[in-house]
C-alpha cells in the first residue's frame, strides 16, 4: 500500500528483488522525540535535539539504505498551536506541505498519552496516506497492561495502518520499525547514492549544531526566538593530512538581555557553547574545526517575513 505508483525497478548488484524507495514523514507535536527517532532510523545524527519546543525548524531529510530499500525520512517541526508569529506560521507550513506529498507517515506520540496538541496534529493527516502510529518512549510506561485499551482508543481516532510501540533508544525497536516501513515503500529506483545520509549541506548542519548547543545550554532562560547564521564556512586548502574547516557563526537574539544570557558571566556560557559545538562538528565533518561565535541583537526578527526568508525559513 502506497500513495504513489511504483516506479520502474533498477537492478543493482545482481539481486532479483526490485529496489524500493519512498518518502516517510515523521510528524507529531513538539517534544515527542521525533528528532531522536530520526537520528536512530538514519543511524547518524542529522537532526538536532533539545528539550526546548520547536528545536527542529526545517524540513530535515535523513537517508537510510538497507538491502534493496532506501528510506528517505523527513523530520518536520513540531506543529505549533500556541503562538502565531511569522516564524511559527512558516514552521507549520513546513509540516502541512510535507505530509501532503509522502508515501508513508509516522505519527509519533508518547506511548499511553494523547493530548489536545496531539489531536490537532492528527487532524492534519490525510486518510489516503498510510499512517503508522509510533508509540514512542515505551521505556517510560510503567504499566504495559494499560497500553491495550489506549491503542484501541487510538484506532478509533484514525484508521492507522499499523501500531509500533517502541523506544527510539532501543536498536531492536528501531530495526523493527524499519522492517514495518519497508513494506510501504514503492518499487522504484533509489533517489540517492547508497552512502548518503542527508540532503543538507555541511554549512546548514554546522548552523544546526551550534543552535542545538545554544538551546541545550541556555535551557528555559532564552526564548526560542533565537537562531544561528553561518557567516563563513571555509575549508583550508593545502597539504594537511587532516581536513581543516574554519567556521564563523552569528547567534541572533531579539533583546540585549538575551545576548547577556547567551554570553554568560565572563563569557563562560558562550565559550562552552562553542566548545561543545566544535567537538560535535569535528566528529560530523571528520575534520579539525576552528569555530568563532558572535552574538547579535536583531529585534523582532521572528515576526518579520522578509528577515525570515533571509535567514532561510521560507
Amino acid at each position: 500500500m502506497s500513495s504513489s505508483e511504483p516506479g520502474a525497478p533498477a537492478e543493482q548488484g545482481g539481486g532479483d528483488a526490485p529496489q524500493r524507495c519512498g518518502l516517510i514523514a515523521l510528524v507529531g507535536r513538539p517534544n515527542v522525540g521525533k528528532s531522536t527517532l530520526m537520528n536512530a532510523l538514519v543511524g547518524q545524527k542529522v537532526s538536532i535535539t533539545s528539550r526546548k519546543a520547536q528545536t527542529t525548524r526545517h524540513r530535515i531529510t535523513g537517508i537510510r539504505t538497507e538491502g534493496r530499500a532506501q528510506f528517505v525520512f523527513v523530520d518536520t517541526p513540531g506543529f505549533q498551536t500556541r503562538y502565531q508569529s511569522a516564524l511559527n506560521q512558516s514552521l507549520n507550513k513546513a509540516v502541512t506541505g510535507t505530509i501532503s506529498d509522502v508515501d508513508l507517515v509516522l505519527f509519533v506520540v508518547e506511548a499511553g498519552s494523547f493530548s489536545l496538541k496531539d489531536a490537532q496534529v492528527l487532524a492534519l493527516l490525510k486518510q489516503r496516506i498510510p499512517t503508522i502510529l509510533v508509540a514512542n518512549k515505551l521505556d517510560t510506561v510503567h504499566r504495559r497492561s494499560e497500553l491495550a485499551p489506549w491503542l484501541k482508543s487510538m484506532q478509533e481516532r484514525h484508521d492507522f495502518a499499523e501500531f509500533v510501540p517502541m523506544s527510539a533508544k532501543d536498536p531492536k525497536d528501531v530495526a523493527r520499525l524499519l522492517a514495518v516501513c519497508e513494506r510501504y515503500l514503492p518499487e522504484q529506483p533509489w533517489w540517492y547514492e547508497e552512502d548518503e545520509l542527508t540532503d543538507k549541506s555541511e554549512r546548514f548542519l554546522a548552523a544546526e549544531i551550534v543552535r542545538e548547543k545554544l538551546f541545550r545550554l541556555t535551557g528555559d532562560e532564552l526564548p526560542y526566538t533565537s537562531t544561528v547564521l553561518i557567516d563563513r564556512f571555509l575549508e583550508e586548502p593545502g597539504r594537511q593530512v587532516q581536513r581543516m574547516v574554519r567556521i564563523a557563526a552569528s547567534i541572533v537574539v531579539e533583546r540585549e538581555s538575551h545576548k547577556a544570557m547567551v554570553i554568560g558571566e565572563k563569557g563562560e556560557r558562550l565559550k562552552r557553547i562553542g566548545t561543545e559545538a566544535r567537538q560535535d562538528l569535528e566528529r560530523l565533518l571528520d575534520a579539525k574545526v576552528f569555530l568563532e561565535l558572535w552574538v547579535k541583537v536583531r529585534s523582532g526578527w521572528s515576526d518579520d517575513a522578509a528577515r525570515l526568508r533571509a535567514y532561510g525559513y521560507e
Side-chain angles (χ1 to χ4, degrees), residues 210 213 217 269-279 281 291 293:
V210 174
K213 303 311 174 191
L217 294 173
R269 181 175 279 166
L270 183 62
K271 184 177 179 181
R272 189 175 169 198
I273 290 169
T275 298
E276 293 195 13
R278 178 183 55 76
Q279 290 169 347
L281 284 166
L291 177 63
L293 294 181

Coordinates of all heavy atoms in Angstrom, one line a residue, residues 210 213 217 269-279 281 291 293:
V210 N 25.3 24.3 16.2 CA 25.5 25.5 17.1 C 24.2 25.8 17.8 O 24.1 26.1 19.0 CB 26.1 26.7 16.4 CG1 26.1 27.9 17.3 CG2 27.4 26.4 15.8
K213 N 23.4 23.4 20.7 CA 24.1 23.7 21.9 C 23.6 25.0 22.6 O 23.5 25.0 23.8 CB 25.6 23.9 21.6 CG 26.2 22.7 20.9 CD 25.9 21.4 21.6 CE 26.4 20.2 20.8 NZ 25.9 18.9 21.4
L217 N 22.2 24.6 26.4 CA 22.9 25.2 27.5 C 22.3 26.5 28.0 O 22.7 27.0 29.1 CB 24.4 25.5 27.0 CG 25.2 24.3 26.7 CD1 26.5 24.6 26.0 CD2 25.4 23.5 27.9
R269 N 29.4 31.0 29.2 CA 28.4 30.2 28.5 C 28.7 30.1 27.0 O 28.6 29.1 26.4 CB 27.0 30.7 28.8 CG 25.9 29.9 28.2 CD 24.6 30.4 28.5 NE 24.2 29.8 29.8 CZ 23.1 30.3 30.5 NH1 22.4 31.3 30.1 NH2 22.8 29.8 31.7
L270 N 29.0 31.3 26.5 CA 29.3 31.3 25.0 C 30.5 30.4 24.7 O 30.5 29.7 23.7 CB 29.6 32.7 24.6 CG 29.8 32.9 23.1 CD1 28.6 32.5 22.3 CD2 30.2 34.4 22.8
K271 N 31.5 30.4 25.6 CA 32.7 29.6 25.4 C 32.3 28.1 25.4 O 32.8 27.3 24.6 CB 33.7 29.9 26.5 CG 35.0 29.2 26.4 CD 36.0 29.6 27.5 CE 37.3 28.8 27.4 NZ 38.3 29.2 28.5
R272 N 31.4 27.7 26.3 CA 31.0 26.3 26.4 C 30.2 25.9 25.2 O 30.3 24.8 24.7 CB 30.2 26.1 27.7 CG 29.9 24.6 27.9 CD 29.2 24.4 29.3 NE 28.8 23.0 29.3 CZ 27.9 22.6 30.2 NH1 27.3 23.4 31.0 NH2 27.5 21.3 30.2
I273 N 29.3 26.8 24.7 CA 28.5 26.6 23.5 C 29.5 26.3 22.4 O 29.3 25.3 21.6 CB 27.6 27.8 23.2 CG1 26.5 27.9 24.2 CG2 27.0 27.6 21.8 CD1 25.7 29.2 24.1
G274 N 30.5 27.1 22.2 CA 31.5 27.0 21.2 C 32.3 25.7 21.3 O 32.5 25.0 20.3
T275 N 32.7 25.3 22.5 CA 33.5 24.1 22.7 C 32.7 22.9 22.3 O 33.2 22.0 21.6 CB 34.0 24.0 24.1 OG1 34.8 25.2 24.4 CG2 34.8 22.8 24.4
E276 N 31.5 22.8 22.9 CA 30.7 21.6 22.6 C 30.3 21.5 21.1 O 30.2 20.4 20.5 CB 29.4 21.6 23.5 CG 29.8 21.4 25.0 CD 28.6 21.0 25.8 OE1 27.5 20.7 25.3 OE2 28.7 21.1 27.1
A277 N 29.9 22.7 20.5 CA 29.6 22.6 19.1 C 30.8 22.2 18.2 O 30.7 21.4 17.3 CB 29.1 24.0 18.6
R278 N 32.0 22.7 18.6 CA 33.2 22.4 17.8 C 33.5 20.9 17.9 O 33.8 20.2 16.9 CB 34.4 23.2 18.3 CG 35.7 22.8 17.6 CD 36.9 23.6 18.2 NE 37.0 23.4 19.7 CZ 37.5 22.3 20.2 NH1 37.9 21.3 19.5 NH2 37.6 22.2 21.5
Q279 N 33.3 20.3 19.1 CA 33.6 18.9 19.2 C 32.6 18.0 18.4 O 33.0 17.1 17.7 CB 33.4 18.5 20.7 CG 34.6 19.1 21.6 CD 34.3 18.9 23.1 OE1 33.2 18.6 23.5 NE2 35.4 19.2 23.9
L281 N 31.0 19.1 15.7 CA 31.3 19.3 14.3 C 32.5 18.6 13.8 O 32.6 18.1 12.7 CB 31.5 20.9 14.1 CG 30.2 21.7 14.1 CD1 30.5 23.2 14.2 CD2 29.4 21.4 12.8
L291 N 36.2 27.3 15.2 CA 34.8 27.9 15.3 C 34.9 29.2 16.1 O 35.3 29.3 17.2 CB 33.9 27.0 16.0 CG 32.4 27.4 16.2 CD1 31.7 27.7 14.9 CD2 31.7 26.4 17.0
L293 N 32.3 32.4 17.4 CA 30.9 32.7 17.6 C 30.8 34.2 18.0 O 31.5 34.7 18.8 CB 30.3 31.8 18.7 CG 30.2 30.3 18.4 CD1 29.6 29.6 19.6 CD2 29.4 30.1 17.2

